[in-house]
Amino acid sequence: MSRMLVSLVLLVFLCFHASITQGEQAIYKDPKQPVEERIKDLLGKMTLEEKVGQMTQIERTNASADVMKTYFIGSVLSGGGSSPKVNATAKDWVDMVNDIQKGALSTRLGIPMIYGIDAVHGHNNVVNATIFPHNVGLGASRDKYLVREIGTATAFEVRATGIPYAFAPCIAVCRDPRWGRCYESYSEDHTVVQMMTTSIEGLQGVPPGDMKGMPFVNGPTKVAGCSKHYVGDGGTVNGINENNTIVDDSALYGIHMPAYVDSIAKGISTIMASYSSINGVKMHANKQLLTDHLKDKLGFKGFVISDWQGIDRITDPPHSNYTFSIETSVMAGVDMIMVPYEYKEFINGLLGLVKKNVIPMSRIDDAVTRILRVKFAMGLFENPLDDYSRVNELGSKKHRELARQAVRKSLVLLKNGKPGNPPLLPLPKTTGKILVSGTHANNLGYQCGGWTIEWQGVSGNNWTAGTTILDAVKNTVDKNTKVVYKKNPNEDYAEKTRLDFAIVVVGEVPYAETIGDSKNLTIPDPGPQIIETACKDTKCVVVVISGRPVVLEPYLDKIDALVAAWLPGSEGQGVADVLFGDWGFTGKLPRTWFKSVDQLPMNQGDPKYDPLFPFGFGLETQPKSQDDKHDL
Ligand code: BGC
Ligand code: BGC
């Protein structure tokens, strides 16, 4: 009896001792513990200041190791074009992210910060990264496996620079091409957008099953993703950026919401609130859609991030009542705020609101729980720092080949030969003399569009690696074929010169966000003039580089063959591959091509539908060889 008692006492003592020892090691630091246990443990140890810091995302320009440590900052981002220095290498990026991270790790609890960046068509802020076609072109491919592979390649390139978080994919359903972000949208058709949520599987990894709202990031070659911009960003009135989306429930839940449901099933880690409003209610202040619907009904368990100064824009003018903005957005369900500059004001404001019991501690705890959940799930506590081991992934040959393939699959052939004439495409490689012409034939920046190196994109060929369409044509034709390049040929050029045919490459100049909003959707000068001149006395194929359908009807009769190439990115070789028939045209319009802007908005299924080319249109040519099939 007494011996039993002794052993019992001993056992109790041992258990007690074990639990103390474990306490000293901290449950939250133990990767073998379940994520939810680690969160609970860590949250229980955090001060209000540490919690508010987790909810704060600042721009890299004000993120020193010291600031990270003093304010317990939870996240840092690069805004569009924000890089550690001009022509920064992958190593420079790794060093920068690590320096900031070391500041975060030096805090009392050592919670790693999460660094985010817009990798929306490849790792587009980084020199020498592979630039993939913008989403509208990928929508034309209708190939969800291709899109998943692009996600995989993008994750590798982002990780090569030490970054674990991408603000992608944009799953907007653009319903009006006058919207300046239409190219970030895969399609006007929500089923195409839904199909392309395979990009999440590429970025984060293929989840083991329906994640039911839990974030899933499969290890250190993957990144946390961000479905954006929740919700209805592509449905604003007249396509005005950040404006109001007027919808009934069937449009909201039937058109704009479905890709979020898919994202949540695939384990999306974060969701970004939209600047826009739904029926007059700003999304950053929309408790019904952020909390009641997204979190409670759909069961999203990752974190909601604001857009850049998104909470400021709740008021008009922006930032005119920041305390109100903080209160309204946090209470609506925004968990992490992309401040990105006035972080002291944000932190003080949020601390004050909690101390005055305006924002309950339960809301703060929910936000921090979600942020920590993503950080634990992706293994950030175990691998907070990167090394140089993956720097060669950036712009690798393999990724460029994938991008080139994506270009081939994204091209949509809209016309091939004038009525009664034989088809012009595919073009012969062996011929006398051909003209390559147009503002976009020898301009890598134009070919890539907005969100490339700079927020608004760039012009010319001297800022990153890639192949222009002009070079691609030269690479493709027989060595005896003479290629003449005239950006803007004289009136009588074609007449005076014996040309076999002309390739004319014109289109939109790069833009992003509101700057891209357009009421007229015309091809800027001298594009239309170049079409007239180059197509006047010779057979011509016009390749349009644009983020969306543009005005073409007035020129259509003059053009022999017409190709929509969207914003193909760095691998212009893909365009020549198809023009000269090494591959066939297979792309299908992801958008309705209007005749005149007066018809807008006009989408497939509308009662009055009279397009120049309908949604889904795309002529085909016979391939001489075929792209590899993508299998699961
Ligand atoms: C935009 C951000 C962008 C930043 C670049 C802001 O106005 O909203 O998307 O990253 O400018 O400076
Ligand atoms: C854009 C977002 C982007 C963010 C960060 C905002 O202006 O709307 O799409 O992720 O800036 O650059």
Side-chain angles (χ1 to χ4, degrees):
M1 181 70 187
S2 72
R3 259 185 45 202
M4 252 178 77
L5 200 68
V6 169
S7 12
L8 205 68
V9 168
L10 201 70
L11 193 73
V12 168
F13 172 78
L14 279 176
C15 290
F16 186 62
H17 183 75
S19 85
I20 289 190
T21 324
Q22 205 169 52
E24 279 164 4
Q25 282 172 350
I27 293 172
Y28 81 90
K29 288 189 176 159
D30 179 0
K32 290 196 282 294
Q33 297 290 330
V35 164
E36 298 305 310
E37 293 303 315
R38 298 176 76 184
I39 298 171
K40 220 194 300 162
D41 180 54
L42 179 50
L43 195 67
K45 294 179 162 63
M46 292 170 77
T47 63
L48 175 61
E49 283 71 15
E50 285 163 336
K51 291 176 183 175
V52 165
Q54 281 303 304
M55 295 170 66
T56 310
Q57 185 181 61
I58 65 175
E59 218 284 330
R60 53 159 285 281
T61 42
N62 41 37
S64 64
D66 212 42
V67 166
M68 300 305 290
K69 190 169 175 202
T70 311
Y71 295 93
F72 311 107
I73 301 295
S75 183
V76 177
L77 90 151
S78 275
S82 179
S83 64
K85 60 178 179 196
V86 180
N87 287 130
T89 63
K91 285 184 181 172
D92 295 328
W93 282 89
V94 171
D95 289 343
M96 173 196 64
V97 178
N98 281 351
D99 283 347
I100 296 172
Q101 186 65 293
K102 282 173 193 158
L105 296 177
S106 72
T107 53
R108 184 177 72 97
L109 295 167
I111 306 174
M113 64 90 195
I114 180 169
Y115 196 103
I117 195 161
D118 294 285
V120 297
H121 62 144
H123 198 5
N124 50 69
N125 286 295
V126 177
V127 173
N128 291 334
T130 311
I131 304 298
F132 292 91
H134 267 298
N135 286 353
V136 65
L138 300 181
S141 78
R142 300 292 201 276
D143 186 339
K144 62 179 181 176
Y145 301 116
L146 172 74
V147 168
R148 186 164 72 187
E149 278 186 56
I150 291 172
T152 303
T154 302
F156 271 121
E157 297 209 10
V158 172
R159 279 288 190 170
T161 58
I163 297 175
Y165 178 22
F167 306 128
C170 176
I171 54 169
V173 185
C174 171
R175 303 290 287 172
D176 192 324
R178 289 174 290 186
W179 187 34
R181 309 191 77 158
C182 204
Y183 63 83
E184 297 186 58
S185 166
Y186 293 106
S187 178
E188 74 190 33
D189 180 340
H190 69 89
T191 63
V192 175
V193 177
Q194 287 178 269
M195 181 170 130
M196 298 314 186
T197 56
T198 49
S199 61
I200 295 167
E201 298 171 336
L203 291 167
Q204 302 194 342
V206 182
D210 186 333
M211 290 306 293
K212 300 204 160 59
M214 287 305 255
F216 178 79
V217 184
N218 196 13
T221 60
K222 294 295 179 185
V223 296
C226 179
S227 288
K228 68 187 189 183
H229 310 78
Y230 183 83
V231 60
D233 51 348
T236 57
V237 57
N238 296 336
I240 299 168
N241 191 223
E242 305 186 9
N243 212 269
N244 189 20
T245 297
I246 302 165
V247 274
D248 58 15
D249 276 3
S250 82
L252 176 59
Y253 297 106
I255 295 174
H256 299 286
M257 192 65 78
Y260 287 95
V261 178
D262 293 299
S263 299
I264 289 167
K266 292 187 164 93
I268 192 69
S269 297
T270 76
I271 291 178
M272 189 184 292
S274 180
Y275 287 127
S276 55
S277 306
I278 292 282
N279 299 326
V281 182
K282 294 264 184 190
M283 278 310 304
H284 284 257
N286 201 322
K287 180 166 182 296
Q288 191 257 318
L289 285 169
L290 290 175
T291 298
D292 304 349
H293 190 75
L294 182 65
K295 294 178 176 178
D296 295 346
K297 181 133 192 276
L298 299 181
F300 174 59
K301 305 265 181 329
F303 66 81
V304 172
I305 185 166
S306 83
D307 204 336
W308 174 283
Q309 296 173 334
I311 70 166
D312 310 44
R313 297 182 201 177
I314 290 174
T315 58
D316 185 14
H319 205 93
S320 52
N321 187 345
Y322 202 46
T323 312
F324 173 80
S325 284
I326 298 170
E327 179 190 333
T328 314
S329 59
V330 172
M331 288 309 288
V334 178
D335 302 307
M336 182 183 279
I337 286 76
M338 188 184 287
V339 176
Y341 297 121
E342 274 128 14
Y343 61 92
K344 290 182 198 166
E345 190 187 353
F346 171 75
I347 288 170
N348 285 331
L350 184 51
L351 285 174
L353 287 164
V354 181
K355 284 178 186 158
K356 285 186 208 127
N357 290 320
V358 178
I359 296 180
M361 197 56 147
S362 56
R363 177 71 267 274
I364 301 296
D365 284 347
D366 173 56
V368 177
T369 295
R370 291 165 175 276
I371 293 163
L372 294 177
R373 184 177 288 131
V374 170
K375 291 184 176 182
F376 280 124
M378 66 193 288
L380 200 59
F381 282 75
E382 284 66 61
N383 294 300
L385 296 165
D386 253 302
D387 54 26
Y388 300 151
S389 61
R390 282 188 280 268
V391 294
N392 291 333
E393 295 282 351
L394 192 80
S396 70
K397 178 104 182 36
K398 191 174 156 214
H399 295 165
R400 289 185 188 282
E401 279 305 313
L402 178 64
R404 177 176 168 182
Q405 182 188 44
V407 173
R408 292 195 291 257
K409 292 192 160 194
S410 68
L411 303 177
V412 181
L413 181 56
L414 298 173
K415 178 175 181 178
N416 195 9
K418 289 182 179 161
N421 284 295
L424 179 62
L425 304 177
L427 300 166
K429 291 185 186 177
T430 306
T431 181
K433 193 198 272 183
I434 65 180
L435 171 70
V436 176
S437 167
T439 41
H440 290 54
N442 188 29
N443 194 320
L444 203 52
Y446 283 10
Q447 194 177 301
C448 291
W451 291 110
T452 312
I453 306 297
E454 296 294 342
W455 178 40
Q456 293 295 325
V458 287
S459 174
N461 300 333
N462 296 330
W463 40 268
T464 199
T467 306
T468 64
I469 295 172
L470 172 64
D471 284 339
V473 170
K474 288 181 181 165
N475 293 340
T476 306
V477 295
D478 184 82
K479 61 178 188 318
N480 296 318
T481 302
K482 191 161 174 8
V483 178
V484 187
Y485 169 61
K486 291 243 178 280
K487 182 170 162 187
N488 194 351
N490 297 333
E491 275 294 319
D492 53 355
Y493 182 79
E495 215 178 352
K496 283 200 319 216
T497 338
R498 271 190 45 87
L499 291 170
D500 294 298
F501 53 85
I503 299 171
V504 182
V505 193
V506 292
E508 294 186 306
V509 295
Y511 52 79
E513 302 188 47
T514 307
I515 293 161
D517 283 1
S518 168
K519 290 195 175 79
N520 53 46
L521 292 176
T522 49
I523 297 175
D525 285 335
Q529 187 53 48
I530 298 173
I531 298 179
E532 306 262 356
T533 313
C535 296
K536 198 166 59 155
D537 299 302
T538 183
K539 287 204 182 313
C540 75
V541 47
V542 174
V543 177
V544 178
I545 305 288
S546 67
R548 50 194 164 184
V550 288
V551 174
L552 276 183
E553 208 208 11
Y555 327 112
L556 196 57
D557 288 346
K558 299 163 185 146
I559 297 170
D560 294 275
L562 177 63
V563 176
W566 315 109
L567 298 168
S570 58
E571 304 315 304
Q573 189 60 49
V575 176
D577 287 345
V578 183
L579 286 180
F580 290 91
D582 287 333
W583 274 266
F585 280 94
T586 54
K588 302 290 171 207
L589 281 183
R591 311 202 55 79
T592 298
W593 205 294
F594 60 88
K595 287 179 180 161
S596 107
V597 286
D598 308 334
Q599 297 174 299
L600 298 175
M602 177 173 57
N603 292 290
Q604 174 211 23
D606 286 358
K608 275 174 82 184
Y609 193 68
D610 179 27
L612 187 60
F613 303 106
F615 174 87
F617 182 78
L619 302 170
E620 303 203 351
T621 57
Q622 279 314 303
K624 290 181 191 159
S625 68
Q626 201 138 31
D627 278 12
D628 292 338
K629 273 261 165 288
H630 292 281
D631 288 316
L632 277 161

